């Protein structure tokens, strides 16, 4: 490990892992208030020389809709969106996602904002990347209280899409669609398997060889800290200031 | 069919009856009908069924919905998301859900769009992929799963069309004929087609006929679909005509609305005490 | 996903394979892709399935369809109307139907639009009022009647979605990024969304980025949906850039095409003998 | 009958009859190449002081779509189109309309252009006015060879719309929806019942009192020959020259 890599931030490791999951994607959309997925997607865009198109929702500069808010979903329905990110107040071991609340629906002990596009995009986007930075038994649960979007579907249900991975502040899981279960893929630097087990509310499989999530190499880091950081600062100024110490370009 | 040109947001809001089903867009663009919403609060309208197209999860739209809910104007909200975006949760909305005083009809964005588009065409329902196996589907009696008649073993969700009684929005400009220019904000056009009444505040009224300008006409809602409008600059507050939102105003609201008392004080100061509220 | 900028209509037409399902609009506006169509004739493409959105019943569009049919390029036409409008019937189309050499899939305009809109959304089918009891319905295996799940005793027609392999059209302008401005001709946008490939000739290429002009952007097909385009002024002939149609050219065609021999002569003179046809 | 009315043209009588059928309509659409319905609709517009809006399809000046070609059908589906005109290569006694051709479909002895919007608008537009100037047994048949759009529907089929009348160069029929039959309403001046019977391929009912189609009064004629003629000349210049002897205003 070179000297420059020792001060790599967790956000950079996570973004690089995300970019790895996006290889070869032609079009990636990033939901609002998702700075790390946005960083990963823009890194994929830079690495691909622009071949991977990135749409950051809510940002005029990086979206191109001219047919109203349904256009994102329409192009996804047409197979024109290869990857999307989804988070959840709760995510369970079957990759079911809950964005609605805690408690016996419709009663709610805690009410979250709502399901947004999850119950559709999860079915039609080939690579849905789940992310939830808070890796605890509160967020990664055995069974969600409300299924905003199911992780898997009955045979016969049209489902070209679905989850491929879950990334947290501790580790990266693969999702095995046939089995309907997560498999640990890599631990972020310094994280132990024990720690992951202790903080995960669901059971998961182990890989033959448990790897460490790679620390980005120098080339990748210079992309992240250079062009990617400058672009992310236009969309997420607070995040860019905190992580990269840079300000958005004057409008 | 002639568009009524009214004096102000209050005169527009006066056309909205209690019990109406109201359509509003998500507020990503500068279109939040805050002035009309506050007039509904002043009038003490009740039992509104709000349909958000498909969310109210931007600071200004979330705030508008939160105020209407907090003031007791709303019976139900059909939505795919309510929040103040990065500023946090909508306080009176969350409180009402917890208290069980507000019915939330949980949806997902593309289902709202598809059902609204069916409504805009006057069709009874439409089909949408996805949804099957979600708890959203389990709680909707206006969604159903049927067999695709053109494909073996292919269950597909059908969604009953959405047709609001009234649509409320703010737009950049209109002409004296009542044609309204909406730019890339195409959802407003779909909403106007789908709704029985469309009430619009605009930033400014321009001379001439927007429909006769070949570069502007493609982004116009023809007057045929507009019930009444009023020139009311700033009626989208806390959104501002330059496309930004006064986030300090939203934060101040959120801070006040953390409690019922704080919310009442906010209403007293910002809605009932405003001089232009005097009738 | 990058738009290919090609040299001319011939290079665009070279991307269209025999057997493709081709979408074209009705030709009410200046959008008839005649130059590309004539290149398909030159290449001797066969077995095309044409889908007209929803008709080819204007002089230039009817003529284009008639030429493709007469030249043997077409296997089937799905349409709600084919004619040269007030100039009369489409001669080679009518002859081919009588001779039984062309399959016509008869439709009705709103059904074509609704099915195309479902296609543009990537949905399997959609619902439409009307149709029931017509002989159109009786002859379509991609239309079906089902019970409305939300209403008792309410049969409703379902229509399988339309997704052309290729859409061909002419447009007023594009930029160097491949964004195409279509004005009020919204059907072109729906077609581009619904089709796998979109090939466009444009009257002119302009500098700058159409998506960054707030008055033009609402009427733009973003480059994301455009496979390839070429600057080819007049590629909509006999339509003309000023919005009119050279009706004398259409009348001369119709007069020639009354007979198979006359049609062959017309092709020889206007398609195969044109210098730019030399490859 | 005043002296001025003796030279009233049949087109004027027919247009006035059509205007009578449009009374109170808020929005009337006229298909392409329909000059007499267009004249009648514009007369209704003038008489109503603009209250009856007229959209002449294919004419930029009198249509207002900004949502593509489906907008006409969409607003009709929403109940926003009160009246529409429909013709047919064949029309039968049940008001079934054939726009496709003569012969055993799909074979065709004669192929017409196609069904256009008929199979939808006939169901959803409350007042559909059928017109067919050639009143012969070739056009008004007992049973159409192909039903582009049916005149009536089974109970239970959603059908707020349908035919209300049929106007020809000889007479005006009412359509009785319950009975599914035409009833003669009035004979155009100089036409006999015998003549109508001889030239009609279907059976029809007779009214208690058989009237003559009214000749427009002087006020109506001056509207037709003044503002209506000038407006129709912009859309149908050949028709306006023949019937009213006027040219379109310079563009």
């Amino acid at each position: 490990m070179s000297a420059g890599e020792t001060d790599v931030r967790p956000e950079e490791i996570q973004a690089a892992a995300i970019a790895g999951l996006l290889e070869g994607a032609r079009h990636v959309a990033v939901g609002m208030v998702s700075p790390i997925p946005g960083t990963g997607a823009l890194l994929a865009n830079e690495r691909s020389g622009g071949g991977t198109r990135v749409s950051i929702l809510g940002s005029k500069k990086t979206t191109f809709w001219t047919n109203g808010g349904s256009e994102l979903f329409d192009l996804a329905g047409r197979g024109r969106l290869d990857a999307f990110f989804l988070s959840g107040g709760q995510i369970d071991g079957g990759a079911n996602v809950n964005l609605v609340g805690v408690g016996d629906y419709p009663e709610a002990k805690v009410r979250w904002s709502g399901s947004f596009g999850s119950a559709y995009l999860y079915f039609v986007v080939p690579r849905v990347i789940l992310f939830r930075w808070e890796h605890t038994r509160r967020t990664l649960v055995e069974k969600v209280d409300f299924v905003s979007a199911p992780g898997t579907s009955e045979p016969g249900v049209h489902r070209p899409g679905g989850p491929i991975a879950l990334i947290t502040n501790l580790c990266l899981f693969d999702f095995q669609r046939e089995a309907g279960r997560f498999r640990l893929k890599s631990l972020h630097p310094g994280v132990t398997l024990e720690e992951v087990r202790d903080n995960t509310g669901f059971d998961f499989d182990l890989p033959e060889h448990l790897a460490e999530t790679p620390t980005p190499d120098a080339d990748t880091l210079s992309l992240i800290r250079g062009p990617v950081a400058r672009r992310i600062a236009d969309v997420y100024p607070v995040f860019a200031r905190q992580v990269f110490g840079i300000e958005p370009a004057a409008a | 069919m002639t568009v009524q040109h009214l004096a102000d947001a209050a005169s527009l809001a006066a056309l909205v009856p209690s019990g109406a089903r109201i359509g509003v867009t998500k507020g990503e663009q500068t279109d939040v009908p805050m002035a009309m919403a506050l007039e509904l609060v002043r009038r003490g309208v009740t039992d509104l069924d709000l349909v958000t197209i498909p969310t109210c999860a931007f600071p200004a739209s979330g705030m508008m919905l939160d105020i209407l809910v907090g003031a007791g104007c709303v019976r139900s909200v059909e939505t795919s998301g309510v929040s103040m975006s990065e500023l946090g949760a909508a306080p009176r909305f969350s409180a009402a859900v917890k208290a069980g005083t507000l019915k939330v009809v949980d949806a997902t964005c593309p289902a709202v769009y598809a059902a609204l588009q069916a409504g805009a065409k006057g069709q009874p329902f439409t089909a949408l992929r996805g949804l099957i196996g979600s708890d959203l589907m389990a709680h909707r009696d206006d969604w159903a799963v049927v067999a695709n008649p053109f494909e073996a073993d292919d269950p597909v969700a059908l969604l009953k069309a959405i047709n609001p009684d009234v649509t409320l929005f703010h737009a950049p400009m209109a002409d004296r004929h009542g044609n309204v220019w909406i730019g890339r904000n195409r959802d407003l056009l779909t909403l106007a087609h789908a709704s029985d009444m469309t009430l619009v505040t605009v930033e400014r009224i321009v001379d001439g006929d927007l429909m006769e300008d070949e570069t502007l006409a493609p982004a116009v809602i023809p007057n045929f679909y507009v019930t009444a409008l009023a020139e009311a600059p700033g009626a989208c507050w806390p959104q501002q005509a330059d496309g930004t939102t006064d986030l300090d105003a939203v934060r101040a609201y959120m801070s006040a609305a953390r409690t019922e008392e704080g919310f009442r004080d906010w209403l007293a100061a910002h809605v009932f005490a405003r001089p232009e509220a005097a009738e």
Side-chain angles (χ1 to χ4, degrees), chain A, chain B:
Chain A
M1 196 180 274
S2 81
E5 286 165 12
T6 54
D7 58 355
V8 173
R9 295 190 52 129
E11 292 88 345
E12 294 172 324
I13 292 170
Q14 292 154 6
I18 285 171
L21 295 167
L22 296 176
E23 221 171 270
R26 299 157 306 159
H27 184 208
V28 179
V30 183
M32 302 206 299
V33 204
S34 307
I36 299 173
T39 305
L42 289 177
L43 174 58
N45 169 272
E46 291 286 340
R47 269 192 186 158
S48 65
T52 297
R53 186 169 190 146
V54 177
S55 298
I56 297 182
L57 307 188
S59 151
K60 249 188 196 169
K61 266 198 187 166
T62 62
T63 53
F64 54 81
W65 330 133
T66 59
N67 202 31
S70 77
E71 185 169 346
L72 169 73
F73 306 105
D74 295 348
L75 65 86
R78 292 277 293 128
R80 287 180 164 136
L81 183 59
D82 299 308
F84 189 71
F85 298 91
L86 203 55
S87 186
Q90 295 176 332
I91 297 172
D92 72 20
N96 299 301
V97 171
N98 175 5
L99 291 154
V100 160
V102 179
D104 256 352
Y105 188 85
E107 266 111 77
K109 275 181 263 176
V110 180
R111 167 78 204 190
W112 296 315
S113 49
S115 302
F116 292 88
S118 62
Y120 179 78
L121 293 175
Y122 215 26
F123 285 76
V124 299
V125 177
R127 304 188 213 175
V128 178
I129 299 170
L130 299 169
F131 67 98
R132 180 72 219 212
W133 309 122
E134 180 195 328
H135 189 142
T136 65
R137 286 175 174 266
R138 193 182 73 93
T139 56
L140 303 188
V141 300
E142 190 174 351
K143 187 81 195 75
V144 294
D145 288 357
F146 183 95
V147 179
S148 287
T152 54
S153 296
E154 298 289 310
V157 171
H158 178 84
R159 185 151 193 183
I164 60 160
L166 164 62
I167 185 162
T168 73
N169 64 341
L170 299 184
C171 66
L172 176 64
F173 293 100
D174 279 334
F175 187 69
Q176 310 164 98
R177 287 196 192 167
E178 300 260 310
R181 287 170 61 88
F182 285 106
R183 178 174 51 201
L184 189 59
K185 186 179 182 187
S186 64
L187 299 165
H188 297 342
V191 177
T192 65
L193 175 57
E194 198 109 55
E195 214 177 326
V196 169
R197 278 219 171 100
D198 286 350
N199 289 286
T200 306
F202 55 76
D203 192 33
F204 54 86
D205 295 334
L206 290 179
E208 283 185 39
H209 306 286
L210 187 55
E212 183 178 275
T213 311
T215 296
D217 61 23
D219 284 356
T220 302
L221 275 179
S222 71
L223 277 179
I224 295 178
R225 293 172 182 179
V228 170
R230 283 193 296 275
R231 290 169 69 189
I232 211 76
D234 283 338
V235 190
Y236 303 110
V238 177
F239 173 83
R241 198 179 305 123
Q242 283 173 357
V243 176
F244 305 116
I246 68 165
E247 300 290 330
Chain B
M1 290 327 263
T2 317
V3 177
Q4 297 179 57
H5 284 264
L6 300 180
D8 52 23
S11 318
L12 291 172
L15 301 173
V16 180
S18 284
R21 190 179 192 194
I22 308 278
V24 290
T25 56
K26 63 178 180 286
E28 180 171 7
Q29 301 188 52
T30 309
D31 60 7
V32 170
M34 183 67 89
M36 286 189 276
L38 296 185
E39 295 298 341
L40 296 176
V41 172
R42 281 190 188 109
R43 269 184 53 215
V45 163
T46 59
D47 294 316
L48 299 179
D49 295 312
L50 293 186
V51 189
T52 71
I53 311 301
T55 57
C56 276
F58 284 86
S61 61
M63 174 173 161
M64 181 190 71
L65 184 142
D66 204 63
I67 293 168
L68 286 169
V69 168
C73 302
V74 180
R75 176 169 51 199
S76 74
V77 176
E78 175 172 352
T79 191
S80 309
V82 173
S83 79
M84 267 73 154
S85 190
E86 71 270 21
L87 303 188
R92 299 331 296 153
F93 169 79
S94 304
V97 175
K98 264 196 222 175
T101 56
L102 177 71
K103 185 182 174 193
V104 180
V105 181
D106 270 291
T108 182
C109 302
V112 176
Y113 282 121
L116 185 75
Q117 287 163 344
K121 295 177 74 64
Q123 301 311 319
F125 55 79
T126 195
L128 192 74
R129 290 297 189 190
L131 312 184
I132 296 171
S134 72
D135 281 338
L136 298 168
M137 175 66 87
H139 288 85
R140 296 286 302 241
D141 56 12
D142 53 352
W143 297 0
V145 178
V146 300
N148 180 349
F150 309 114
E151 209 68 62
D153 297 323
D154 183 22
V156 180
L158 297 187
L159 316 171
K160 195 172 170 182
I162 293 173
N163 288 106
D165 298 318
V166 186
T167 279
L168 306 175
F169 61 83
H170 185 75
M173 62 175 163
D175 64 24
R176 289 179 210 294
H177 308 283
N179 300 303
V180 177
W181 188 81
I182 55 169
R184 279 165 71 180
N185 202 349
R186 201 87 192 161
D187 297 350
L188 298 178
L189 182 135
T190 310
L191 249 178
H193 283 203
S195 301
D196 289 345
M197 267 173 86
T198 296
L199 305 177
V200 188
T201 53
V202 295
E203 208 55 32
R204 62 198 174 101
I205 304 263
V206 297
D207 291 329
D209 187 336
L210 290 168
M211 288 294 287
E212 293 195 349
D213 179 322
E214 277 310 301
T215 61
L216 295 177
V220 164
I221 302 178
N223 57 11
F224 184 73
Y225 302 98
V226 180
T227 311
L229 62 80
E231 187 174 40
C236 54
W237 174 88
Q239 292 186 324
Q240 298 166 130
D242 66 3
T244 63
T245 297
D246 178 353
L247 293 180
D248 287 338
V250 181
R251 284 192 197 95
Y253 167 78
M254 290 173 74
S255 167
R258 256 179 287 162
T259 63
E260 173 69 23
E261 301 66 41
F263 174 71
R264 292 287 148 198
D265 290 347
W266 188 93
L267 276 191
H270 291 82
V271 180
F272 294 110
R274 282 168 73 190
E276 64 268 48
E279 281 181 69

